[in-house]
Amino acid sequence: MYRLVKPVFFKFDPERMHHFVVKRLKWFHDFFPLGKKILRKSYHLHSKELEREVFGLKFKNPVGLAAGFDKNGEFVEALSNLGFGFIEVGTVTPLPQPGNDKPRMFRLKEDEAIINRMGFNNKGVDVMAERLRLLKCKHSDIVVGGNIGKNKNTPNEEAVNDYIKCFDRLFDVVDYFVVNVSSPNTPGLRALQEKEPLMHILNTLQLRNNKEGVSRPILLKIAPDLTFEQLDDIVEIVNQTKIAGVIATNTTIDRNGLYAADGLKRETGGLSGKPLTKKSTEVIRYISKKSGGKFPIIGVGGIHTPQDAKEKLEAGASLVQLYTGFIYEGPGLIKRICKALY
C-alpha cells in the first residue's frame, strides 16, 4: 500500500506532507471505528522473543521511533500502534520556538536521504508535559523517551538551566531522557559536546535524578562527526557521570559521496538516511568496543532494511530507532525488522 501512495507524498513539500500524514494517521486511529484494530492487525508483531530489558525498562520490541518525528508528543498512541517498541518525543525546549525559516527540510531522493535544519521547532515543554500526562493515564505501557534541548536564544553558559527545566517538567511523564547536544541546527549547540560543558550538564541532571526514590535513565545523543579522541571522551564521560547510555547517532554535516544535485547538497542542516548507515554503525562499534559493552547504546542512522538494523545490533546496540528509513520505506519496515530478529 505504501509503495502506491509514496510517489504522491513525495511530490509535495516534505514538512507539509509530514504534518498532513501524521494528522490523518491520528484521525484514523482516534475516530475511525476500527482504526486501532486495523493498525494493530496490520503492523503489530507480538513475540516474547522480541522483548528486551534495557537500562531497567521493558520494551515490547527493540525498534523505536527516533526524536524529531513527533516533536510535541501529539501522536504517540497512534505511532505506537504501528508496531514501535518505544517512541522518543522532542526535541523539546523550555519555551516554545518556531525554529528556523522555511523551507527547512529537503528530500535527496537519489540518496534516500533527508536534509533538515528545523531548529528545535516545538510548542514548549509545558504543552508536551500535559499531553504526556494524559497519555500515561491511559497507556502506562507505552515506553516514551523525552529528548530535551536548549532554546536558541539561551547562551551556552546558561544551557544547563534549560535542560534542568525540561528534565524537571517531564520527570513524571517520560520513561527515559535524552540530552541532545548534537543537533547541527541550533547555533553553537555542538560545542556543548566538549568535555567540560557536557560533564557539567550531565552531572547536574544526575544530582536531580531522584524523586521520591525514583530515577530515570539519562542517555546522551551524540553526533556521527566526532573524532575517535572525542568518542574516547564520550565513553569516559558516560562512565564518570554514570548516565544510562548513549544514542548513536544524530544527523551528519558530511556531504561526501552524495548523488543529489549540487543545489541540494549545499543546503545547510543535518543529513539523515542511507548515507549515514555505515557511519553510525562504525560509531556504535567503536563505542561498544572502547567501553567494553559496559553501557547500552541505541543505534540510529540509516536503517532502511532489516539487515541495517541487525548490523547495528551486532555492532553493539541494544535497541535501534528509525526516522528517515520509516519515511522512505513506510510503516511495514518495523514489522519486517521485528520478523528478522527472531
Side-chain angles (χ1 to χ4, degrees), residues 231-292:
L231 291 175
D232 291 344
D233 283 345
I234 293 295
V235 172
E236 184 180 345
I237 288 166
V238 173
N239 288 329
Q240 287 186 9
T241 59
K242 294 181 170 51
I243 63 169
V246 164
I247 296 186
T249 63
N250 212 320
T251 57
T252 181
I253 56 174
D254 187 8
R255 298 292 189 268
N256 288 326
L258 296 179
Y259 297 105
D262 288 343
L264 276 175
K265 287 190 284 188
R266 284 195 293 268
E267 294 289 352
T268 58
L271 175 75
S272 61
K274 276 196 173 181
L276 195 54
T277 306
K278 290 183 179 179
K279 194 169 191 174
S280 62
T281 303
E282 288 169 2
V283 172
I284 292 165
R285 184 175 287 111
Y286 185 88
I287 292 175
S288 179
K289 185 176 180 180
K290 188 71 179 181
S291 67

Side-chain angles (χ1 to χ4, degrees), residues 72-84:
N72 296 298
E74 297 175 81
F75 311 106
V76 175
E77 184 183 359
L79 289 166
S80 70
N81 279 318
L82 293 178
F84 285 111

Side-chain angles (χ1 to χ4, degrees), residues 6 40 54 60 63 73 82 100 102 105-106 146 151 166 192 231 241 253 262 264 274-275 279 286 299 318-319 342:
K6 176 181 163 183
R40 288 172 184 163
V54 185
K60 293 177 181 177
V63 185
L82 293 178
N100 295 321
K102 299 178 182 179
M105 182 180 286
F106 309 89
N151 281 113
C166 291
L192 296 176
L231 291 175
T241 59
I253 56 174
D262 288 343
L264 276 175
K274 276 196 173 181
K279 194 169 191 174
Y286 185 88
S318 301
L319 306 166
Y342 80 95

Side-chain angles (χ1 to χ4, degrees), residues 40-215:
R40 288 172 184 163
K41 186 174 181 180
S42 301
Y43 298 111
H44 268 243
L45 186 63
H46 297 285
S47 172
K48 284 283 185 182
E49 294 180 37
L50 288 171
E51 294 178 0
R52 300 287 190 276
E53 186 166 341
V54 185
F55 39 81
L57 298 177
K58 292 183 179 180
F59 297 83
K60 293 177 181 177
N61 69 62
V63 185
L65 180 66
F69 198 91
D70 187 0
K71 291 178 177 292
N72 296 298
E74 297 175 81
F75 311 106
V76 175
E77 184 183 359
L79 289 166
S80 70
N81 279 318
L82 293 178
F84 285 111
F86 60 108
I87 307 288
E88 192 171 306
V89 295
T91 297
V92 68
T93 55
L95 299 175
Q97 59 182 30
N100 295 321
D101 293 339
K102 299 178 182 179
R104 53 194 181 182
M105 182 180 286
F106 309 89
R107 297 188 197 94
L108 285 67
K109 297 177 186 177
E110 300 91 337
D111 299 289
E112 296 187 61
I114 289 174
I115 290 174
N116 92 82
R117 50 171 180 266
M118 305 300 288
F120 290 174
N121 56 306
N122 72 102
K123 296 178 181 178
V125 73
D126 287 336
V127 170
M128 176 181 282
E130 181 57 22
R131 285 204 179 113
L132 294 182
R133 184 188 67 79
L134 295 173
L135 172 80
K136 284 294 187 178
C137 287
K138 296 194 306 180
H139 300 286
S140 60
D141 61 323
I142 299 176
V143 177
V144 179
N147 188 300
I148 58 177
K150 79 172 189 72
N151 281 113
K152 181 178 180 179
N153 294 330
T154 301
N156 276 7
E157 312 84 71
E158 301 172 18
V160 66
N161 297 321
D162 279 13
Y163 288 97
I164 288 171
K165 289 172 186 173
C166 291
F167 185 83
D168 288 350
R169 191 69 179 87
L170 295 178
F171 189 91
D172 292 327
V173 294
V174 300
D175 299 288
Y176 70 88
F177 282 96
V178 180
V179 174
N180 189 350
V181 291
S182 54
S183 170
N185 301 320
T186 296
L189 184 73
R190 284 191 169 189
L192 296 176
Q193 290 183 118
E194 296 299 325
K195 191 170 184 179
E196 186 176 344
L198 188 52
M199 288 281 288
H200 177 52
I201 291 170
L202 295 177
N203 278 325
T204 302
L205 293 180
Q206 282 288 58
L207 286 172
R208 304 177 78 85
N209 193 14
N210 190 303
K211 187 174 182 181
E212 297 178 357
V214 176
S215 61

